[in-house]
């Protein structure tokens, strides 16, 4: 494949429209005006698109989501659910077009998500399930009479005094006997599992389809409704591997052992990437996403594969494309597949013949096509699309044209936003690194205070999407640098695995090169440089300030520096042992990757640490260690702990607080 054929459009093609005369800068308070649009679904007629809109509620200090619907021509937009202090999510149309299903914890005393049904003929939505557990996912059968559900077992402490108040039952002890026993948000992992169930829509009767104690994910009915494909890791000890495979099970009969379709030793259709198995229109083939080499786990390139629905050797149809792919959808005639390609700073919608061959770009370039859905209507395709000036919205895809259907963040047209420019520069060893640059709103002359922001992951990237954080910093007089260092995605497998077992190595040089470039171009003031990030972005911040003392301020969110402290205290036990080995067997590797803590004497940068106290992804103790170490040495530092928060902050007041603390910390040391 010739990469020139899919070259990305420049961000210049999406240049900002001139701000209106009364435009104002972005403020921290504007975070409450942001709307999170997601999960679009086209109805079978192709005339309507349902989707979910997340809304912060400052008074309740919570986020709620509701279901909206817009006509295909974009002329009519309706809010379908609006229950006060309740949320609804994941809308999906029945294939006959009579119903719209969604998930909500309305009326459930334990806040378990149940499945609800809204009749298009009118009336209130009603619950289809009243489970002790929680509906995690679902899929309609082709005849609209049945549904496949993924149901999470009941929480054994659902009736505890912690959940219900002083008059409830006391909590039960948590018994741990699993290899991976922690997961952010889920907490301590016990015997609860996600089960594949079959629901009769008319009667409400439900039965389990599979045997065994395993987690099941991503159900998809065959076109004739006789079988369900799903994803599960059914190894003897699934906690020790990422060996997800594709399975099928007949709809008829009692719980049974499913048929395994794939045998790749790595991950087939890893549920973390939310790509459903895609049945061909004739039901003879299934398209799915095959992971990279088993030893590389998330560093490896994910490829699009097709295999016979009865099992057999898979055919890799994107073998020549060294880019991650996901979310395949068949064309109506079954001759080709559409899918998302993660490329350099972008995600675009591509297509390929089912037999393999050249890859064609259908839509994208200078934007990020985040999701592409056709649901039941195979003649009309919608997608979630974002660009540097607009957050995620629903778009109709018509050939190569993207036409907006939802407009829930139009208020941004009245904000004076900073243009987002592409950057390209050479790292210390000559490797070309790409990123973005924003200059301060208002066009300040000369060199300006500059903040380097670093993405998390590390297997992710900054792309052509809207960043409230970048725009807020630019509105407050900072130039913003956002580099995509090695270890990230979008540039191929070798680029991603460059930091394998060597965190904070070449990626430090890559982000420093972004700063050198901005200084050389006369933009960044070398005496007023800041740095910061969240998750691996916070880790790389720690690696960077332990390597280079030029930064006058740093913000490190949900980070770890002493990697030894992560073993057994966070959720990454598989990753640690696969990549770094066991710490008592390979202490040199663990020490090398822990240098910000064991060489904390090199750090002189005033650093603000932030973390949630319930984070099992990168637990609070790691930020506490670094805070304590800097405090011991007399380096200016603060630790901000957000009660009740996991790895990603959810409470609107805490999100605003974090933005304001960023501004205050950088202002204190850079202005």
């Amino acid at each position: 494949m010739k990469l020139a054929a899919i070259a990305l459009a420049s961000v210049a093609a999406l240049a900002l429209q001139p701000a209106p005369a009364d435009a104002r800068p972005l403020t921290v308070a504007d975070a409450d005006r942001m709307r999170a649009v997601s999960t679009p679904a086209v109805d079978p007629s192709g005339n309507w698109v349902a989707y979910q809109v997340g809304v912060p509620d400052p008074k309740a200090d919570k986020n709620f989501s509701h279901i909206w619907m817009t006509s295909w021509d974009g002329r009519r937009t309706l809010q379908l659910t609006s229950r006060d202090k309740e949320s609804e999510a994941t809308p999906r149309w029945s294939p006959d077009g009579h119903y719209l299903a969604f998930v909500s914890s309305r009326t459930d005393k334990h806040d378990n998500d149940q499945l609800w049904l809204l009749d298009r003929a009118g009336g209130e939505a009603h619950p289809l399930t009243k489970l002790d557990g929680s509906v995690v996912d679902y899929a309609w059968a082709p005849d609209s009479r049945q549904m496949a559900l993924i149901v999470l077992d009941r929480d054994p402490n659902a009736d505890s005094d912690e959940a219900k108040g002083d008059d409830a039952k006391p909590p039960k002890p948590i018994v741990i006997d699993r290899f991976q026993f922690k997961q952010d948000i889920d907490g301590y992992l016990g015997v609860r599992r996600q089960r594949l169930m079959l629901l009769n829509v008319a009667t409400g009767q439900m039965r389990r389809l599979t045997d065994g104690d395993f987690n099941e994910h991503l159900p998809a009915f065959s076109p004739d409704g006789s079988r369900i494909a799903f994803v599960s890791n059914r190894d003897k000890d699934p906690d020790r591997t990422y060996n997800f495979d594709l399975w099928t099970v007949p709809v008829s009969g009692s719980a049974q052992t499913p048929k395994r379709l794939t045998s790749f030793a790595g991950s087939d259709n890893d549920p973390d990437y939310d790509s459903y198995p895609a049945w061909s229109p004739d039901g003879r083939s299934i398209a799915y996403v095959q992971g990279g080499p088993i030893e590389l786990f998330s560093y490896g390139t994910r490829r699009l594969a097709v295999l016979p629905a009865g099992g057999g050797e898979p055919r890799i149809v994107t073998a020549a494309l060294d880019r991650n792919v996901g979310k395949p959808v068949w064309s109506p005639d079954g001759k080709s597949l559409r899918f998302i390609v993660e490329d350099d700073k972008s995600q675009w919608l591509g297509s390929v013949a089912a037999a393999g061959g050249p890859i064609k770009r259908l839509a994208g370039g200078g934007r990020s096509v985040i999701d592409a859905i056709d649901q039941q209507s195979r003649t009309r395709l919608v997608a979630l699309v974002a660009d540097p000036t607009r957050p995620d919205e629903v778009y109709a895809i018509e050939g190569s044209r993207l036409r907006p259907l939802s407009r829930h963040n139009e208020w941004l047209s009245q904000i004076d936003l900073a243009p987002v420019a592409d950057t390209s520069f050479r790292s210390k060893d000559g490797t070309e690194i790409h990123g973005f640059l924003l200059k301060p709103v208002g066009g300040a002359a000369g060199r300006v205070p500059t903040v380097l922001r670093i993405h998390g992951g590390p297997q992710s990237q900054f792309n052509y999407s809207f960043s409230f954080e970048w725009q807020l910093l630019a509105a407050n007089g900072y130039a913003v640098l956002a580099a995509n260092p090695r270890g990230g995605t979008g540039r191929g497998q070798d680029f991603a695995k460059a930091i394998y077992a060597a965190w904070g190595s070449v990626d430090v040089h890559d982000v420093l090169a972004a700063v050198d470039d901005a200084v050389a171009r006369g933009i960044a003031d070398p005496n007023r440089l800041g740095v910061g990030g969240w998750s691996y972005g916070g880790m790389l911040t720690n690696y960077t300030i332990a390597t280079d003392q030029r930064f006058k301020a740093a913000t490190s969110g949900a980070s770890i520096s002493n990697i030894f402290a992560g073993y057994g205290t966070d959720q990454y036990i598989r990753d640690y042992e696969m990549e770094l080995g066991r710490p008592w067997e390979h202490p040199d590797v663990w020490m090398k990757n822990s240098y910000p803590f064991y060489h904390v004497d090199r750090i002189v940068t005033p650093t603000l640490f932030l973390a949630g106290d319930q984070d099992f992804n990168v637990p609070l103790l790691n930020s506490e260690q670094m805070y304590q170490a800097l405090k011991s040495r007399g380096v200016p530092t603060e630790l901000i702990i957000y009660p009740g928060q996991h790895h990603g902050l959810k409470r609107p007041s805490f999100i605003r607080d974090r933005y304001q603390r960023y501004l205050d910390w950088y202002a204190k040391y850079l202005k």
Side-chain angles (χ1 to χ4, degrees), residues 351-545:
S351 71
V352 67
I359 296 171
K360 178 182 179 182
R361 189 178 70 192
L362 300 180
R367 307 183 186 205
S368 286
V369 179
I370 299 157
D371 206 352
I373 302 289
D374 69 355
Q375 187 81 344
Q376 311 296 337
S377 173
R378 294 189 179 275
T379 59
R380 288 184 167 172
L381 188 67
V382 297
L384 278 179
V385 179
D387 66 50
T389 69
R390 290 175 287 268
D392 302 357
E393 295 282 2
V394 181
Y395 283 69
I397 299 179
E398 297 172 323
S400 61
R401 178 176 173 239
L402 293 171
R403 177 170 56 84
L405 292 178
S406 69
R407 296 174 174 83
H408 289 273
N409 288 287
E410 285 296 289
W411 62 273
L412 282 167
S413 64
Q414 301 302 310
I415 301 297
D416 194 2
L417 298 175
V420 181
D422 284 300
T423 56
S424 178
F425 41 86
R426 297 284 176 179
S427 189
K428 183 177 181 179
D429 63 1
T431 300
E432 184 172 286
I433 304 299
H434 302 157
F436 298 103
L437 167 66
L438 290 74
K439 294 182 180 180
V441 171
R447 294 186 181 273
V448 295
T450 299
V451 176
L452 169 68
R453 296 301 292 175
I454 304 174
H455 69 68
Q459 297 91 14
S460 65
Q461 64 168 336
F462 288 133
N463 58 27
Y464 295 120
S465 296
F466 180 80
S467 172
F468 185 94
E469 181 181 284
W470 298 356
Q471 292 292 346
L472 182 65
L473 289 168
N476 282 270
Y478 300 97
V480 181
L481 306 176
N484 282 328
R486 278 169 283 185
T489 50
R491 297 279 299 279
Q493 186 166 282
D494 288 344
F495 191 90
K497 73 176 185 179
I499 65 165
Y500 189 87
W503 309 338
S505 56
V506 294
D507 48 348
V508 169
H509 300 310
D510 296 348
V511 297
L512 289 176
V515 177
D516 293 337
D517 176 68
V519 171
R521 293 165 61 180
I523 298 168
D525 184 342
N527 297 312
R528 292 188 291 169
L529 297 174
V531 62
W534 195 268
S535 192
Y536 191 81
M539 290 174 61
L540 191 49
T541 293
N542 300 343
Y543 287 123
T544 300
I545 60 177

Side-chain angles (χ1 to χ4, degrees), residues 447-452 473 476-479 525-532 550-555 605-606 662-671:
R447 294 186 181 273
V448 295
T450 299
V451 176
L452 169 68
L473 289 168
N476 282 270
Y478 300 97
D525 184 342
N527 297 312
R528 292 188 291 169
L529 297 174
V531 62
R550 76 177 81 178
F551 296 96
K552 301 301 188 290
T555 62
T605 303
Y662 286 168
L663 295 179
D664 293 346
W665 193 259
Y666 288 135
K668 181 177 181 178
Y669 295 101
L670 304 186
K671 291 187 176 182

Side-chain angles (χ1 to χ4, degrees), residues 1-7 303-304 316-325 337-341 343 348-353 356-362:
M1 186 189 72
K2 296 181 179 179
L3 290 179
I6 56 172
R303 307 181 298 176
L304 183 60
I316 308 300
V317 297
T318 60
L321 179 65
D322 187 19
R323 295 291 185 270
N324 289 325
V325 302
L337 287 151
R338 294 166 290 193
F339 54 96
I340 302 294
V341 178
D343 209 340
W348 45 270
L349 180 65
S351 71
V352 67
I359 296 171
K360 178 182 179 182
R361 189 178 70 192
L362 300 180

